[in-house]
Amino acid sequence: MTRRLIDRVVRTLPLPEQPDARLSTLLETEWLVTNGIGGYSSCTAAGVTTRRYHGLLVAALPNPLGRMVMLNHLGERLRADEGTSHLNVEERVGGPVDPVAASKVSKFRLESGLPVWEYSSEGVCIEKRIMMPRGQNTVHVTYRLLEGPETATLELRPAVHFRGYESRVDATTNSPATTRYTMMSAGDMHVLQGGNEQDLPPLKFLVAGADTHRFISDAKLTSEYIYPVEQSRGYEFRGTLWTPGHFEVTLRLGASTTLIASVELDEVMRALSPGEAAVLEHERRRRLVDAAAPALQDEIGAELVLAADQFIITPKGRLADATRAAALGNEVRTVIAGYHWFTDWGRDTMISLEGLTLA
């Protein structure tokens, strides 16, 4: 049976064998996942946040908040019979990124436009996928143990600095050193609140699909992170993050486990299981590709269709506009002028409208 076009849309990043060259490639390659309402998840393939705009969850919130970086980084450490391995690393004051740690990334690719990693260390292989359910300020980070022992333990350490996506990484008014962050757990839901911004929704965490997991409280400030792209542009490039502790998740061979991070209501966050969300997003992308013009019915054309889809959004915060449109039986749409820093501009919308919405 011939594979459907959407299943053939795979772009693999060639990774050099030499550690320094591999690290350079991973640092220079960035990925982007969007949610259709103006929010996104984005970072480098190495897992190093090199821009102020990077974040695992950059939420699109109602005005006047706009885009807010709600989950800046997720530290990942694997524990198995063969020992302990860091799956990602950060560039910090006092030392560069370790090429050996970056070598754990054995493969990186985009499948239907969504990022997929494979990490290999001491006979253990783990797959990671990131997606955002459409229309939600929610990110799913899914791990699957591909090779190795029957079980392994994954430590996941979220780190935050709630701030506007354009704000300085060393913002003094609501820096992690001056903000009173708190983490509370109720059943399987873990809720992180920042005390300085009363209007901000809490950041919620949920672990789905794991046989066992627990949260280990160990709240602290991180050492300073370096943001090399900000440094090259002449902006402030050092900033700390705050971490509430870490999740210990048991991975079972062949099974998937997902860390869900969200600022949505509990019922919205739980409405779709990670498996259901992935299937529905794959189907949504298939329909986009199948509906494209005949000239775009190949792998490159499908990639262009999926890339164009990231720029057409339903703006989250314009309640008055949405109400007026709904009264006429319409929906509000707008065009993002560019990622990461642009929102919607009239000029750019008019220039790109034909290519994005007609072709």
Side-chain angles (χ1 to χ4, degrees):
M1 180 182 295
T2 304
R3 292 172 63 202
R4 295 183 302 179
L5 176 57
I6 189 66
D7 296 320
R8 303 200 306 270
V9 183
V10 178
R11 181 177 290 271
T12 301
L13 178 68
L15 293 176
E17 291 294 332
Q18 204 277 333
D20 288 328
R22 175 181 291 250
L23 175 58
S24 179
T25 298
L26 291 169
L27 286 174
E28 293 170 0
T29 302
E30 299 178 60
W31 54 268
L32 173 74
V33 177
T34 60
N35 62 2
I37 55 176
Y40 64 83
S41 178
S42 183
C43 194
T44 64
V48 176
T49 52
T50 59
R51 303 179 184 270
R52 72 176 77 182
Y53 304 101
H54 283 159
L56 268 293
L57 178 58
V58 180
L61 300 178
N63 293 331
L65 292 172
R67 282 185 188 154
M68 298 292 296
V69 184
M70 299 299 294
L71 177 57
N72 302 64
H73 186 252
L74 186 64
E76 301 160 324
R77 189 169 70 163
L78 175 67
R79 297 205 321 260
D81 296 338
E82 291 75 12
T84 300
S85 299
H86 288 275
L87 302 186
N88 65 24
V89 288
E90 278 293 343
E91 189 159 17
R92 295 178 177 167
V93 174
V97 177
D98 180 7
V100 176
S103 69
K104 301 294 191 302
V105 181
S106 57
K107 296 178 183 177
F108 177 77
R109 63 187 179 274
L110 298 180
E111 291 186 2
S112 305
L114 296 173
V116 183
W117 291 258
E118 288 186 20
Y119 300 91
S120 297
S121 177
E122 304 295 336
V124 180
C125 183
I126 286 185
E127 177 189 83
K128 178 174 76 173
R129 297 173 179 264
I130 292 181
M131 64 85 64
M132 300 183 80
R134 191 74 170 177
Q136 290 190 40
N137 286 309
T138 300
V139 64
H140 290 186
V141 188
T142 299
Y143 302 88
R144 187 158 64 103
L145 183 58
L146 300 178
E147 298 176 11
E150 284 299 315
T151 61
T153 300
L154 187 63
E155 293 183 6
L156 301 174
R157 180 176 291 275
V160 301
H161 174 191
F162 293 170
R163 58 174 175 81
Y165 77 121
E166 289 272 20
S167 298
R168 292 164 53 133
V169 297
D170 69 332
T172 56
T173 55
N174 67 330
S175 73
T178 60
T179 299
R180 186 176 179 271
Y181 290 101
T182 57
M183 181 80 148
M184 296 177 294
S185 299
D188 60 349
M189 187 72 74
H190 309 273
V191 181
L192 194 158
Q193 185 79 55
N196 290 15
E197 297 284 353
Q198 297 301 320
D199 294 332
L200 278 180
L203 175 63
K204 303 171 185 176
F205 296 97
L206 184 65
V207 177
D211 285 349
T212 59
H213 83 275
R214 61 175 181 163
F215 176 72
I216 309 299
S217 180
D218 180 23
K220 61 184 178 182
L221 280 176
T222 67
S223 58
E224 283 190 310
Y225 285 63
I226 288 180
Y227 298 78
V229 174
E230 302 304 313
Q231 183 179 16
S232 70
R233 298 170 65 209
Y235 293 107
E236 178 51 52
F237 59 92
R238 292 184 177 92
T240 58
L241 301 177
W242 185 86
T243 174
H246 67 270
F247 295 92
E248 287 190 354
V249 180
T250 300
L251 301 180
R252 189 167 295 280
L253 191 62
S256 295
T257 299
T258 301
L259 178 68
I260 304 173
S262 179
V263 296
E264 301 290 348
L265 298 174
D266 288 13
E267 52 266 36
V268 174
M269 188 177 175
R270 295 179 184 272
L272 295 173
S273 70
E276 291 171 330
V279 168
L280 292 175
E281 179 61 15
H282 187 270
E283 175 62 15
R284 188 188 74 83
R285 291 173 180 245
R286 183 195 65 78
R287 292 181 181 185
L288 283 172
V289 169
D290 288 352
L296 296 173
Q297 294 298 319
D298 59 21
E299 287 86 346
I300 294 177
E303 282 193 278
L304 293 173
V305 169
L306 296 175
D309 175 62
Q310 296 178 114
F311 294 86
I312 303 172
I313 70 162
T314 301
K316 179 76 170 181
R318 299 179 184 173
L319 299 180
D321 291 344
T323 301
R324 291 189 188 97
L328 288 171
N330 297 324
E331 294 181 68
V332 175
R333 292 287 190 273
T334 190
V335 173
I336 294 294
Y339 293 98
H340 303 85
W341 39 87
F342 291 126
T343 53
D344 49 347
W345 288 6
R347 181 191 65 177
D348 296 73
T349 297
M350 294 302 104
I351 291 171
S352 62
L353 196 62
E354 181 179 5
L356 289 176
T357 63
L358 299 182

